[in-house]
Amino acid sequence: MDITELILDDHHEQRRLFAILEQVDRSRTAELSAIWDRLASFLELHAQAEEEIFYPELLQIGVAAQRRSGVEEETLDAIHDHNEIRDAVAEVARHQVGTDDWYAAVAAANLANSDHMAEEEREGLTDFRRLAGLSRRHQLAVAFAAYEARNYAGVQPVDKDPAGYVHRAEEGVRPVPSGSLSIGRMKQN
């Protein structure tokens, strides 16, 4: 088990749920609402799991590998994207299910999410596979799966300040001896 694979699995499920919405007749509002509610909850849970488990570790391993600016930029962008996805999901809730405005808002949420996933798959996940060993990726996969399992009923959506997020995450990074690519542990609060 590898955290990057779990994240990719979640991405596949998000794409699947958006595709299902596109195939349900607009008059079936109860079904559309149920599928959308599941998807909206899943999008937030996935973002929170990444923010709690994946991105702090990406920052940590990037700093250890002397790639701070690259992983900081990726993380800033990801947190900004998560906020945009949250905003898009909130916009869907402002419209009656099955209307043209609702479908337009769902399409905007799909676009924001698709752009984020593509970028994350090209950059953050690729960097993490290159920099983190399989054992560490496995440990994080266990933590990620447990986080999502514990919060299966959903989590409260909360926008985050990207720069503040990176700053707080980096405060937990311990210095690593020069030339070492081992990952320091985050401080426990």
Side-chain angles (χ1 to χ4, degrees), residues 79-149:
I79 302 307
H80 179 265
D81 289 352
H82 286 173
N83 290 340
E84 284 186 347
I85 294 164
R86 288 180 184 108
D87 294 345
V89 167
E91 181 61 28
V92 173
R94 292 183 182 94
H95 304 285
Q96 185 177 348
V97 176
T99 64
D100 288 343
D101 289 340
W102 184 82
Y103 274 102
V106 168
N110 189 2
L111 180 60
N113 191 59
S114 295
D115 288 349
H116 167 69
M117 290 187 303
E119 192 169 37
E120 186 174 70
E121 290 167 8
R122 264 190 333 269
E123 296 172 1
L125 296 178
T126 299
D127 285 345
F128 203 75
R129 280 189 295 271
R130 288 179 179 152
L131 297 171
L134 186 55
S135 174
R136 187 66 185 140
R137 294 194 320 260
H138 174 78
Q139 292 169 354
L140 293 170
V142 171
F144 191 87
Y147 184 90
E148 287 189 329

Side-chain angles (χ1 to χ4, degrees), residues 15-54:
R15 289 178 176 109
R16 187 181 76 83
L17 290 168
F18 273 113
I20 289 171
L21 285 173
E22 294 168 356
Q23 298 173 54
V24 175
D25 186 277
R26 69 178 42 229
S27 67
R28 311 252 343 224
T29 57
E31 289 86 350
L32 287 169
S33 182
I35 295 163
W36 172 255
D37 289 348
R38 165 70 180 119
L39 176 54
S41 178
F42 185 56
L43 289 169
E44 183 56 33
L45 176 57
H46 175 79
Q48 287 283 10
E50 285 184 345
E51 290 168 1
E52 292 290 325
I53 309 228
F54 177 70

Side-chain angles (χ1 to χ4, degrees), residues 1-12 125 129 134 137 141 144:
M1 186 166 45
D2 178 333
I3 190 169
T4 63
E5 290 299 320
L6 290 183
I7 291 171
L8 289 170
D9 290 346
D10 279 6
H11 289 181
H12 174 74
L125 296 178
R129 280 189 295 271
L134 186 55
R137 294 194 320 260
F144 191 87

